[in-house]
Amino acid sequence: MSRDGHVGGAVRVSGLVKRFGPRAVLDRVDLEVPRGQVIGLLGLNGSGKSTLIKCLLGLLKADEGSATVLGTDAWQLADREKARIGYVPQEATLYPWLTVRQTVAYVSSFYSRWDRAWGEELLRRWDLPLGHRVGPLSVGQKQKLALVLALGHRPELLILDEPVASLDPVARRWFLETVLETAADGAGTVLFSTHITSDLERVASHVALLREGKVMFHDEIDVLKDRVKRLRIEAQADLPADLCLPGTLRQESRGRQALVTIDGVDAALVAGVRERFAAEVVVDNLNLEEIFLELHDGEAAATSRAR
Amino acid sequence: MIAILRQYALVLWAIVSRPWTLLMLGLGLLYVGPFLGAWLGGRAVPDGAMTAVPVVETPSVLGSFGAAELEEMARGGRLDSVTDLDTQAVGRQEAWGLVAPNGRGRSGSQLTRAADEGPGAWPLLDRFPSLDRLWMSPPDMLSEQGWERIGKHTALEVLSLPNVSSPDAETLSRFPMLARAALERLPNLRELDLRGTGGSFELLLPPLPKIEVLAIGWGRLEENLRTLADGSPRLRVLAIQTWFDIGFTPGMIASLRRMPNLRAVYVAGAYQAEDEPAMTRQVDELRRALPGVRVHPGTYRSSRVWTSFWATLLGMYLPFVFWFQSGLLLSTSLAWMLPRRLAPHLFWAMAAAAACGGIIVALLVSAGVAWMPALTLTLFATMLVAGGTLGEVEGIAGRISSIVLRVELIAGLAAAATALLAPWIIDRWLSGAMPWLSVTLLAAVIAASVWKLARQARLPRILASLGLANPPGLVIDVNQGTLPKQPAGSFANWQLKLAERAVDRQIDRPVPAPYGEMLRRSQPRIQMLLMVAIMLVVMVGMMWVIPVVIARGTGQPPPPLSRYLPGVIAAFAWQACVMTIAQTAGMWGQRRGSLVIDFLRPVSRAGYWRGLRQAIARDLSLPAVLGAVCLALAVGLDGKGGWWAWGVAAILLVGTFALTHAMILLLAVTRWPLVVGTLMVVLLVAAGIGIVIALSHVLSVSKPADLVMALVAAGAVLAVGLGIRMGVLWRLEEREIG
């Protein structure tokens, strides 16, 4: 349940298709984000993350399927729903002729529930020069300002499109803490896309992996980590070039040794490998970045092999 | 070598391959038409190519203002108090209908004849017993009765009758006697123009004791000059109509030397271009004979002035496209990294300027412009927008650039105003008759051009040092968001502070407010108002100052302000309308990025588009008012069109602003701002042509109004405007954003 009593998921996407010309940038995407969840969108450049976010914000119209945000069709978001959403784009496009102080005053005038004290606290925290015009600010400062503008009205749903790429490490830490604060009371939902997987691991409970417009994986990060692991195999004799293990994402074999990344590792599979190849098997846990790379490299290799 | 040539070719390709460049070059063709027209007009019509310099004062009221005033006085039965009458300007039938008994529905020429007196009798003059200034011009004629009636107006101080003819051979033969008899009865005459009047060769002037300004023909000149020297001590300005093969006799010179207050003499010895050298010889001869008196040519070539005007515009425009692209390319970081980046970028812009300049110089010279003025104008025009760093750059170099820019702006405006008010002065310079001025101006233009080239060469370094992406002044930054900090106390800084305070006031207004109003609150409009105010001050100021300067230079009285003020206001309104449309378009074009974010404020999709439409419409209210003032003055000044002229003007206004509103809306949300912006310019220029065509068919002085043609042109403007607006607004709410 939200602060004002609304029930239901924060974001619900079903069979979403978005085409630019003949190319489907989003291809039957399904995604559900309950309220209070912090979810990261992970994907390569061009995988459709920004397009998905723009569809959720009603900036782009889906060709097929549906997207609802805070219980309302994303294309028909009304002022009530928008007042509960905060958004930071990839490149903060603000008002270059205004000062920082004027920008905050201007944007806050749109929101009846703007938390002035919270806004000032954020400005102070990020050390933004109030009297300076926005145009000549650095990219990082503009991004910080965009975050202030997105957070000042204490949104129920915060959508962030690669927001931290231009921030310095200190600002990134502040940012992540702020995101956690937003989600801390369980009512705030955060959906953000990023390439920095360590940040995602730090704040997100869930992750959705996008690849070529499709959701490859969507679940808790811990589930993903449990599923995808790397086996280090050392056999008595030379190993075959293809071990033919189920769920293999990537395999490197050299003589009696092999490294195999597998989606869906369990005890039976490990025991089977030991028995079949008379080998010692060590199971390595992977962090999110490694899993991300393995998933993409593995898919690419599989596609290449199939060709 | 091949690598260098390849680099040059690549830079050229980078410049010309952009759709913007091609569109702008295409747009340049619009300038070529009038230029070629003026140039060919000047060459193809040698007869009558020379225009007489006006010397007597001109009517203080023009067009409908004179007619309206006359109508009002006729209705009030106060014609006996009318002091000024311009028969040409007050040509409206309604006016004559009221003035003349039973005159309604009759033509002006019919009204100048009495039933028993024939044409040229001017019985109407009897209704104006208080006249002290009278202007007549072709096709007016004067018969014996007409001359008699003029003679009865003994209070006349100004009488201007250039080229007024006689209705028949008998009157023509008696002209010297009739004119002299009339003039003898006018003791108060201060200004008199009799150039070409009634075949005035043999007119023997009577004593004119109060005459100050006189324009006469060649006939009996020696006697007439002696009469004037003996009995006209106040004579200041004398215009003499001569022939190319006539010289001044010692007797004439002696009489001229005996005129104590003579300040200026205009010698008109040429009526076609080929006679100009002969006139120059006459002028020189008289100038040597009369030290202390300004002696000038009495005729000038207006076609030369207009050819030069259009050539200057053409010369500005085409190289501008190349200088602009060169500046933009030079300011990219890639250009900064490239070896030998400068030479090819400068080369193509200079090549375009040189090619265009070469053609223009050749055409100007063939149109009769002397070499030095031709070079000066061409260099001024082709280098005007070179050196994209002019203005807003700090330090001494910035100040010099700023001075160069301002001097060029003032010089350009002054030249344009002088060409409008006193084209004969500009023509004198163009003909090469002012060598010292020519040398000075050429030297100044060369110095300014060298400076600009030097600044263009340093462009990448200047931009890097200022941390700018674009050369200041090259790309219009309406909100000045990307400018570096301005020096305290500077005008730019004052402007910024003014804009900042205006935004503060707007943001402090009560909320909630309609979304369109909220959208507008982030942008200051004060700079637009400031620009309009500055334009007004500069234009009115120049129109006030330049006539006085001209009067001092020529010895002629300045034309009365009331004569040209409505025209000046109309011109100002037109300029200000165009400039404020450009500012509004630039302002909303710059909001493209932030409008995406603004969509995510608490507003529905329908509310967003409605608010955006309303905000742009509100911003267009200032240019719309200015446009309406301009059209109202254009229609009111002429006044012959009646209600349909007002109707056509209203249609034009609606069509143009429907188009403008739609295009600015599109510009604010498009992904291709450069293409949409250029398209907007092209469409507005086309609408401008439509406006000129429509108005010229209802406001034509020389031919009857053609309502059908005017409605077709106005209808086309309206149809295009509404059509494009419908296209832009069609399913607007379904449009994706960003």
Side-chain angles (χ1 to χ4, degrees):
Chain A
M1 186 179 286
S2 70
R3 285 174 196 143
D4 57 358
H6 285 85
V7 291
V11 172
R12 182 172 292 161
V13 177
S14 174
L16 188 72
V17 177
K18 179 64 193 172
R19 294 187 193 89
F20 292 126
R23 181 171 160 254
V25 177
L26 295 177
D27 190 3
R28 293 186 295 281
V29 170
D30 295 309
L31 183 71
E32 184 154 356
V33 183
R35 289 175 197 273
Q37 193 173 88
V38 179
I39 181 169
L41 275 180
L42 214 52
L44 294 176
N45 290 333
S47 60
K49 300 188 299 292
S50 294
T51 303
L52 176 59
I53 285 176
K54 285 181 178 174
C55 285
L56 294 178
L57 292 167
L59 294 168
L60 297 178
K61 189 173 188 181
D63 293 315
E64 290 173 30
S66 68
T68 57
V69 174
L70 300 174
T72 306
D73 179 9
W75 185 250
Q76 299 296 343
L77 285 174
D79 47 355
R80 285 187 311 281
E81 286 80 35
K82 283 186 179 175
R84 293 152 58 203
I85 299 173
Y87 168 60
V88 178
Q90 214 166 354
E91 286 175 28
T93 313
L94 300 166
Y95 314 92
W97 58 92
L98 296 183
T99 63
V100 171
R101 177 184 54 74
Q102 287 175 326
T103 304
V104 175
Y106 174 61
V107 172
S108 68
S109 66
F110 282 92
Y111 295 91
S112 57
R113 293 194 315 185
W114 186 268
D115 187 337
R116 187 180 293 268
W118 173 232
E120 285 170 5
E121 161 65 19
L122 289 171
L123 286 170
R124 231 183 350 265
R125 193 184 282 187
W126 280 325
D127 197 23
L128 286 165
L130 292 178
H132 285 211
R133 274 183 298 133
V134 174
L137 291 182
S138 71
V139 179
Q141 284 176 309
K142 284 179 188 167
Q143 200 68 14
K144 288 178 194 173
L145 180 57
L147 284 165
V148 174
L149 301 177
L151 292 169
H153 57 292
R154 291 196 177 273
E156 288 173 40
L157 173 61
L158 185 59
I159 297 178
L160 310 158
D161 192 356
E162 294 184 31
V164 292
S166 49
L167 296 185
D168 57 60
V170 177
R172 262 174 56 204
R173 172 169 293 188
W174 279 115
F175 165 72
L176 295 174
E177 285 181 12
T178 310
V179 170
L180 286 172
E181 276 178 55
T182 305
D185 60 2
T189 310
V190 182
L191 184 150
F192 75 109
S193 74
T194 182
H195 288 129
I196 306 173
T197 49
S198 59
D199 288 346
L200 204 64
E201 275 186 282
R202 195 176 296 168
V203 296
S205 58
H206 288 68
V207 65
L209 288 172
L210 260 77
R211 183 183 166 84
E212 292 176 357
K214 291 183 175 156
V215 176
M216 286 175 67
F217 174 87
H218 171 218
D219 211 326
E220 288 182 45
I221 292 179
D222 290 342
V223 170
L224 182 64
K225 284 180 174 178
D226 282 346
R227 262 178 53 179
V228 180
K229 292 182 188 291
R230 187 188 295 141
L231 305 185
R232 276 193 283 135
I233 304 168
E234 186 154 0
Q236 303 289 334
D238 282 354
L239 290 165
D242 190 351
L243 300 180
C244 296
L245 298 178
T248 299
L249 294 173
R250 195 166 66 89
Q251 177 191 324
E252 276 181 49
S253 299
R254 191 176 299 158
R256 293 182 293 119
Q257 294 177 332
L259 282 175
V260 188
T261 308
I262 292 176
D263 180 3
V265 172
D266 55 24
L269 186 133
V270 174
V273 172
R274 282 196 182 111
E275 189 179 327
R276 187 172 149 201
F277 298 110
E280 283 186 20
V281 179
V282 177
V283 180
D284 288 339
N285 289 326
L286 300 178
N287 64 26
L288 194 55
E289 181 164 329
E290 288 168 321
I291 293 173
F292 179 68
L293 289 171
E294 294 290 358
L295 282 171
H296 281 89
D297 288 354
E299 285 282 322
T303 310
S304 165
R305 274 200 301 276
R307 280 175 191 155
Chain B
M1 183 63 189
I2 289 173
I4 291 173
L5 287 176
R6 188 166 174 274
Q7 190 184 15
Y8 274 74
L10 284 173
V11 170
L12 178 63
W13 179 245
I15 291 173
V16 300
S17 62
R18 301 193 64 185
W20 181 87
T21 304
L22 298 174
L23 273 169
M24 293 304 275
L25 287 174
L27 202 59
L29 292 174
L30 288 171
Y31 283 112
V32 176
F35 169 70
L36 285 180
W39 180 67
L40 289 172
R43 289 176 66 82
V45 195
D47 290 329
M50 306 293 283
T51 309
V53 174
V55 288
V56 301
E57 67 181 74
T58 42
S60 60
V61 285
L62 275 183
S64 66
F65 292 102
E69 194 178 52
L70 197 63
E71 280 174 33
E72 193 185 324
M73 298 190 89
R75 285 196 188 94
R78 291 180 284 118
L79 286 179
D80 53 357
S81 63
V82 171
T83 56
D84 293 11
L85 184 63
D86 176 11
T87 60
Q88 195 63 34
V90 193
R92 205 160 77 168
Q93 289 205 4
E94 287 87 338
W96 287 123
L98 286 165
V99 171
N102 305 319
R104 187 172 293 278
R106 297 166 68 191
S107 69
S109 62
Q110 286 173 317
L111 292 166
T112 62
R113 70 170 76 196
D116 54 348
E117 292 175 330
W122 288 96
L124 289 175
L125 291 180
D126 293 340
R127 306 204 64 193
F128 300 92
S130 304
L131 275 189
D132 56 26
R133 297 196 289 184
L134 176 62
W135 292 268
M136 286 186 181
S137 50
D140 291 345
M141 293 181 289
L142 278 170
S143 67
E144 181 177 348
Q145 289 81 9
W147 280 108
E148 278 177 12
R149 286 195 166 93
I150 285 178
K152 285 179 189 168
H153 287 80
T154 54
L156 275 175
E157 293 180 15
V158 175
L159 182 60
S160 179
L161 307 169
N163 299 315
V164 170
S165 57
S166 302
D168 50 58
E170 190 191 342
T171 311
L172 183 66
S173 65
R174 298 179 63 209
F175 161 78
M177 187 197 71
L178 295 172
R180 184 182 168 94
L183 294 175
E184 276 175 337
R185 297 166 69 186
L186 306 176
N188 296 314
L189 271 184
R190 286 188 298 104
E191 301 196 11
L192 176 63
D193 190 346
L194 291 174
R195 285 178 290 188
T197 311
S200 61
F201 306 110
E202 296 301 318
L203 172 65
L204 204 56
L205 285 174
L208 299 166
K210 292 187 180 173
I211 202 77
E212 293 174 21
V213 178
L214 178 66
I216 50 173
W218 175 256
R220 313 288 288 265
L221 185 62
E222 190 147 350
E223 290 112 305
N224 283 338
L225 290 180
R226 198 180 309 127
T227 304
L228 290 168
D230 291 339
S232 303
R234 296 183 187 178
L235 189 62
R236 284 186 295 108
V237 178
L238 179 64
I240 306 167
Q241 204 174 26
T242 67
W243 293 105
F244 64 92
D245 57 350
I246 286 175
F248 289 93
T249 64
M252 293 177 191
I253 303 288
S255 296
L256 286 167
R257 283 178 177 157
R258 284 198 297 122
M259 297 176 185
N261 286 309
L262 191 63
R263 293 286 173 271
V265 176
Y266 290 86
V267 182
Y271 303 97
Q272 50 193 8
E274 63 201 55
D275 297 335
E276 254 191 316
M279 179 165 68
T280 306
R281 277 197 303 278
Q282 291 175 349
V283 168
D284 289 343
E285 180 190 336
L286 208 55
R287 199 172 277 163
R288 281 193 298 275
L290 299 171
V293 176
R294 294 188 204 95
V295 183
H296 302 305
T299 55
Y300 70 99
R301 284 163 70 178
S302 60
S303 63
R304 180 161 49 197
V305 176
W306 288 111
T307 301
S308 304
F309 176 79
W310 284 110
T312 308
L313 280 186
L314 186 70
M316 279 178 200
Y317 183 80
L318 294 180
F320 154 74
V321 178
F322 279 82
W323 283 119
F324 183 84
Q325 286 299 328
S326 159
L328 281 183
L329 289 173
L330 268 179
S331 59
T332 61
S333 52
L334 186 63
W336 179 235
M337 301 296 291
L338 282 174
R340 303 185 305 274
R341 69 193 177 284
L342 184 64
H345 285 92
L346 281 189
F347 173 80
W348 289 116
M350 288 176 69
C356 191
I359 293 169
I360 289 170
V361 166
L363 292 176
L364 283 177
V365 168
S366 72
V369 178
W371 273 101
M372 266 199 288
L375 282 174
T376 306
L377 273 181
T378 304
L379 205 53
F380 171 78
T382 55
M383 294 296 290
L384 189 68
V385 288
T389 56
L390 288 184
E392 288 122 9
V393 179
E394 292 179 31
I396 292 177
R399 287 205 192 102
I400 295 174
S401 296
S402 183
I403 289 169
V404 169
L405 189 69
R406 282 170 172 76
V407 167
E408 284 187 332
L409 186 69
I410 291 169
L413 280 173
T418 309
L420 189 70
L421 289 173
W424 55 92
I425 293 179
I426 294 287
D427 188 62
R428 213 179 297 152
W429 169 63
L430 290 172
S431 71
M434 299 172 158
W436 284 110
L437 181 66
S438 297
V439 169
T440 309
L441 288 178
L442 185 57
V445 170
I446 288 172
S449 301
V450 169
W451 175 257
K452 288 176 190 174
L453 268 183
R455 300 307 290 170
Q456 184 92 355
R458 288 180 58 82
L459 190 57
R461 189 163 298 177
I462 293 165
L463 291 173
S465 69
L466 291 171
L468 295 178
N470 288 313
L474 193 61
V475 176
I476 298 169
D477 179 7
V478 178
N479 290 302
Q480 300 173 321
T482 54
L483 286 184
K485 197 170 180 186
Q486 299 299 310
S490 68
F491 180 68
N493 190 54
W494 177 75
Q495 263 185 300
L496 283 178
K497 292 286 170 205
L498 209 62
E500 205 173 302
R501 280 198 287 276
V503 170
D504 280 338
R505 279 196 300 275
Q506 287 169 188
I507 293 175
D508 285 344
R509 284 179 193 156
V511 287
Y515 183 73
E517 170 62 24
M518 294 290 284
L519 273 183
R520 295 179 75 244
R521 286 184 183 178
S522 69
Q523 282 172 301
R525 271 88 188 157
I526 190 81
Q527 73 277 31
M528 211 187 303
L529 295 173
L530 201 63
M531 181 194 69
V532 172
I534 291 172
M535 279 177 69
L536 184 64
V537 168
V538 169
M539 284 194 75
V540 172
M542 291 189 86
M543 289 298 164
W544 230 294
V545 170
I546 287 174
V548 175
V549 174
I550 290 169
R552 287 202 172 170
T554 60
Q556 293 166 244
L561 188 64
S562 56
R563 181 189 156 220
Y564 55 84
L565 196 59
V568 171
I569 294 172
F572 155 74
W574 165 250
Q575 291 289 331
C577 175
V578 171
M579 294 298 286
T580 46
I581 285 177
Q583 285 255 339
T584 308
M587 200 164 68
W588 285 100
Q590 281 192 328
R591 284 217 49 177
R592 275 184 313 110
S594 58
L595 277 173
V596 177
I597 301 294
D598 289 329
F599 170 75
L600 300 173
R601 309 283 171 236
V603 63
S604 65
R605 182 172 297 277
Y608 170 79
W609 287 112
R610 188 173 54 245
L612 185 56
R613 282 198 335 253
Q614 288 172 348
I616 293 172
R618 275 284 302 278
D619 277 344
L620 280 176
S621 56
L622 175 63
V625 166
L626 290 164
V629 167
C630 179
L631 283 172
L633 280 168
V635 174
L637 267 174
D638 179 87
K640 288 194 291 188
W643 63 267
W644 59 82
W646 291 102
V648 165
I651 292 172
L652 291 169
L653 194 69
V654 171
T656 306
F657 276 90
L659 169 70
T660 309
H661 183 255
M663 291 308 293
I664 292 180
L665 182 62
L666 196 58
L667 191 63
V669 294
T670 184
R671 290 176 197 159
W672 302 284
L674 215 51
V675 172
V676 172
T678 309
L679 197 62
M680 179 178 167
V681 172
V682 171
L683 285 168
L684 283 177
V685 168
I689 293 170
I691 290 171
V692 170
I693 292 172
L695 289 183
S696 69
H697 281 89
V698 283
L699 305 178
S700 174
V701 175
S702 58
K703 57 188 178 197
D706 183 350
L707 184 59
V708 174
M709 194 59 208
L711 282 175
V712 167
V717 172
L718 185 68
V720 169
L722 292 181
I724 286 177
R725 189 165 187 274
M726 277 175 63
V728 171
L729 297 187
W730 185 66
R731 299 184 67 188
L732 189 63
E733 288 183 23
E734 296 296 303
R735 193 186 168 90
E736 294 181 331
I737 298 161

